[in-house]
Amino acid sequence: MKQKTVYLCSECGYEAPKWYGKCPSCGAWNTMSEFKVQPESAARGTNTFQRGASRPTLLRDIESGDETRFYSGIGELDRVLGGGAVHGSFVLVGGEPGIGKSTLLLQMCQEMCKSARVLYVSGEESLRQIKLRAARLKISSPDLYILAETDMEQIISETEMLAPDILIVDSIQTVYKRDLTAAPGGTTQIKECAMSLMQYAKNKNVTIFIVGHVNKEGTLAGPKILEHMVDCVLYFEGETTGPFRCLRAAKNRYGSTNEIGVFEMSDHGLVEVQNPSAAMLAGHPQGASGNCIACVMEGSRPLLAEVQALAAKTQFGVPRRTAAGVDYNRMVLLLAILEKRCGLFLSSSDVYVNVVGGMRLDEPAVDLPMVLAIASSFRDKPLPEGVMSFGEVGLTGELRAVSNAAQRINEAYRLGFHTCIMPMQDIDEELTRSMNIVRVKTVADAIRAVL
């Protein structure tokens, strides 16, 4: 049978039937290489989880048992997973190189080894390198098994002999199958290796964690089907030059995708941040224009963050706009609302917006704090001390209600804030006795209330 020829991009793993000088996916030049794929490999991923048992079964006749979970000993990780890792689940941890994915999983092994057998497979480091990193992280569990291997068949063989409860593969881009001619890290290799691990997890009821790197667009390198295979997709985010890291769930079949875990990178590994709001507000400048405190909800956790803005007269015909930590298009929309509804002529000013601490705020409730920070910088007038805000801004300049207002206000009061600027919505009257609640209908009213 004739072999199939494919062309793979070495930068992003894009697969094409013909050669391109420029990769259609990532735009890199001269990165497409030719590989031959064995024709029988296409059907290798069609095996069912239980061979010979692929007959229809009534839902009421299926025995599920109680949902049991492994607790990692890292509270922030367990929060994002929905209370721990489920037995037999397949978890993908993605992030940029150097962000701390391997560190997080190695620290997780320290506690999990007390109640389960753990095998850590590394395709990027030697046994000696892992030992040195474990010593630096003060990981000394005698029950942790380490394997430095990239051959998928050998990994499965060793895993079957050891029969661990938890398997960690770092990373999926480095492992390969010998019967495939594609290069390690290519689309075909990643898909087939992930399929083998998924079948092993479901057949043997083994919890598997795999590490996946992201490309320069911020998406996981390799085929999109990788994210569909796994039960849970975790993204490890943050600035590599900053101390804080955020763990988010982009997909979770066993819990919520709205939770967030916050860590701080130290000399001895990742440290849980029990009070993220206080950490994010450390060093908050007093008496400076262009900053406002926002309160957003990350799952069930209210989180306070500082939104900073800088509006300066431009010397060029087209003003510059830059957004870090907030959506760029949302910022441009709010600038248009300020100019149209509030009379702030920002078309001749450069505007820069930043969220302190490397956090990314995607909730609509950050609209009002962003507007107040921009207006404060444009007028060069600081907001009063002890003021925080939240609220969604509409195109006509009106303020829309947001959820969990009481939780946001209580978190702000706990951290010492005494005034809250918010939309017109019903709240518990008890809150008005502890804080000065200023409810406004429009953006213009909110700006007049504090500036």
Side-chain angles (χ1 to χ4, degrees), residues 12 66 85 111 113 120 139-140 157 163 170 172 186 207 216 262 288 305 331 344 346 360 401 422 425 429 433 435:
C12 67
D66 296 332
E111 187 67 25
C113 284
Y120 185 98
I139 297 172
S140 57
S157 175
D170 185 9
I172 191 63
T207 303
K216 58 185 179 182
V262 182
M331 180 197 71
L344 300 183
L346 294 157
R360 179 160 186 86
M422 60 175 290
Q425 64 183 95
E429 291 301 323
R433 299 174 185 174
M435 284 192 72

Side-chain angles (χ1 to χ4, degrees), residues 147-206:
L147 174 65
E149 183 59 67
T150 56
D151 188 340
M152 192 71 245
E153 283 78 6
Q154 185 66 23
I155 292 173
I156 294 295
S157 175
E158 295 293 337
T159 304
E160 288 180 340
M161 291 177 59
L162 184 62
D165 300 304
I166 299 171
L167 172 64
I168 299 171
V169 179
D170 185 9
S171 65
I172 191 63
Q173 278 88 6
T174 60
V175 297
Y176 68 94
K177 303 190 80 170
R178 283 173 290 180
D179 53 354
L180 297 179
T181 56
T187 304
T188 305
Q189 286 283 9
I190 292 177
K191 182 170 63 176
E192 293 296 334
C193 291
M195 181 64 73
S196 298
L197 290 172
M198 182 188 70
Q199 291 175 353
Y200 186 84
K202 305 307 176 184
N203 282 325
K204 304 295 185 180
N205 199 33
V206 175

Side-chain angles (χ1 to χ4, degrees), residues 279-330:
M280 295 298 172
L281 298 181
H284 170 62
Q286 296 184 356
S289 62
N291 67 81
C292 182
I293 304 302
C295 187
V296 296
M297 293 297 298
E298 294 289 353
S300 59
R301 166 189 283 178
L303 182 65
L304 269 68
E306 182 182 351
V307 179
Q308 292 186 335
L310 177 62
K313 292 292 182 181
T314 182
Q315 303 298 321
F316 303 97
V318 179
R320 185 174 181 180
R321 308 282 190 249
T322 303
V326 294
D327 183 62
Y328 172 81
N329 294 321
R330 191 69 182 175

Side-chain angles (χ1 to χ4, degrees), residues 99 236-246 248 260 262 279-280 303 305-306 324-326 354-361:
I99 203 70
F236 213 33
E237 305 170 348
E239 298 292 335
T240 54
T241 55
F244 295 110
R245 306 284 191 271
C246 295
R248 299 176 186 269
I260 180 176
V262 182
M280 295 298 172
L303 182 65
E306 182 182 351
V326 294
N354 175 53
V355 178
V356 177
M359 293 286 294
R360 179 160 186 86
L361 308 180

